[in-house]
């Protein structure tokens, strides 16, 4: 029902487009480690550094396009470069790398227990606590999926921004419609604004 979602989010799926590839897993793991390190390193600062999801998407896009251009097709009988970098690979990388940015709340809980209440958990219990907090949030979001994600009127601005950037960077049809009054492609407009 909302035109912003209809323009930026496709309602069709291409099942032949690959999602889980060597590129997406490798870039996703590297960016996940980098994002979790940056988030935890700056979490206890007075002015913490907040890395926006848009920056992660642009970095993943550049690395993915680089790997698609220069990575050999097979290494030791393992397909490493199945073709052009796809929007599904970019979405998987973004989901992987941004899933680790919210662990600071659980770590702050452990730090507050240690410094203010002098209650220390051993390492095994602390890791189990962190895993439980992450898995609890994922399971609650899975339970509320029917009410928060599936209905068409639900618009999530941050997710809409990510979908718009996905389509801008990896838009299949780079040509602009001849009948349109706007003659510039999304990608060219995006890079002009960035410059």
């Amino acid at each position: 029902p909302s035109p912003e979602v209809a323009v930026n989010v496709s309602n069709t799926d291409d099942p032949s487009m690959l999602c889980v590839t060597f590129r997406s897993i490798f870039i996703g793991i590297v960016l996940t480690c980098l994002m979790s390190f940056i988030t935890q390193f700056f979490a206890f600062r007075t002015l913490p550094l907040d890395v926006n999801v848009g920056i992660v998407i642009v970095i993943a896009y550049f690395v993915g396009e680089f790997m698609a251009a220069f990575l050999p097709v097979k290494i030791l009988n393992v397909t490493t470069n199945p073709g052009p970098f796809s929007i599904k690979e970019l979405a998987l990388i973004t989901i992987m790398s941004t899933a680790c940015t919210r662990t600071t709340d659980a770590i702050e809980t452990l730090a507050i227990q240690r410094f203010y209440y002098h209650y220390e958990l051993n390492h095994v219990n602390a890791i189990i606590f962190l895993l439980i907090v992450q898995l609890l949030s994922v399971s609650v979001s899975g339970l509320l999926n029917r009410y928060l994600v599936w209905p068409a009127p639900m618009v999530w601005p941050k997710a809409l921004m990510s979908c718009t950037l996905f389509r801008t960077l990896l838009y299949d049809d780079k040509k602009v419609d001849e009948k349109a009054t706007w003659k510039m492609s999304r990608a060219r407009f995006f890079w002009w604004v960035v410059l």
Side-chain angles (χ1 to χ4, degrees):
S2 79
E4 295 86 7
V5 177
V7 167
N8 294 309
V9 180
S10 177
N11 60 355
T12 60
D13 183 28
D14 182 10
S16 65
M17 189 182 298
L18 296 176
C19 178
V20 181
T21 62
F22 173 78
R23 287 185 308 223
S24 64
I25 298 300
F26 179 76
I27 298 169
I29 288 174
V30 169
L31 282 179
T32 299
C33 294
L34 184 68
M35 287 295 297
S36 62
F37 173 76
I38 289 172
T39 303
Q40 284 307 137
F41 186 75
F42 290 102
F44 293 108
R45 304 283 190 263
T46 305
L47 297 170
L49 178 69
D50 183 29
V51 180
N52 191 353
V53 68
I55 296 170
V56 174
I57 293 171
V58 171
I59 291 171
Y61 169 73
F62 279 132
V63 175
E65 288 290 330
F66 177 80
M67 287 180 80
F70 294 108
L71 199 65
V73 176
K74 284 194 174 198
I75 297 176
L76 300 173
N77 289 333
V78 175
T79 304
T80 56
N81 192 359
F85 191 61
S86 69
I87 194 168
K88 288 184 179 182
E89 289 176 300
L90 185 59
L92 179 65
I93 293 167
T94 305
I95 291 167
M96 286 174 66
S97 59
T98 56
C100 64
T101 58
R102 294 304 305 157
T103 59
T104 55
D105 298 334
I107 294 203
E108 284 176 3
T109 303
L110 294 173
I112 288 170
Q113 282 182 348
R114 176 177 286 179
F115 294 124
Y116 291 114
Y117 299 110
H118 306 291
Y119 179 75
E120 293 188 23
L121 286 176
N122 60 15
H123 296 301
V124 174
N125 288 340
I127 290 172
I128 290 173
F129 174 72
L130 291 173
L131 286 173
I132 287 173
V133 168
Q134 284 293 101
L135 294 176
L136 186 67
S137 63
V138 169
S139 61
V140 167
S141 66
L143 289 173
L144 297 177
N145 199 8
R146 170 187 305 175
Y147 308 108
L148 299 177
V149 178
W150 291 348
M154 298 302 273
V155 177
W156 298 95
K158 199 167 187 177
L160 185 61
M161 186 273 305
S162 298
C163 293
T164 304
L165 192 53
F166 292 154
R167 297 237 345 180
T168 299
L169 294 174
L170 292 167
Y171 198 60
D172 296 334
D173 186 16
K174 296 279 184 181
K175 298 176 185 173
V176 181
D177 187 16
E178 296 298 327
K179 294 181 260 180
T181 57
W182 182 263
K183 299 294 182 189
M184 189 181 300
S185 68
R186 286 181 171 198
R188 181 173 287 177
F189 178 74
F190 173 76
W191 292 118
W192 273 108
V193 170
V194 167
L195 288 175

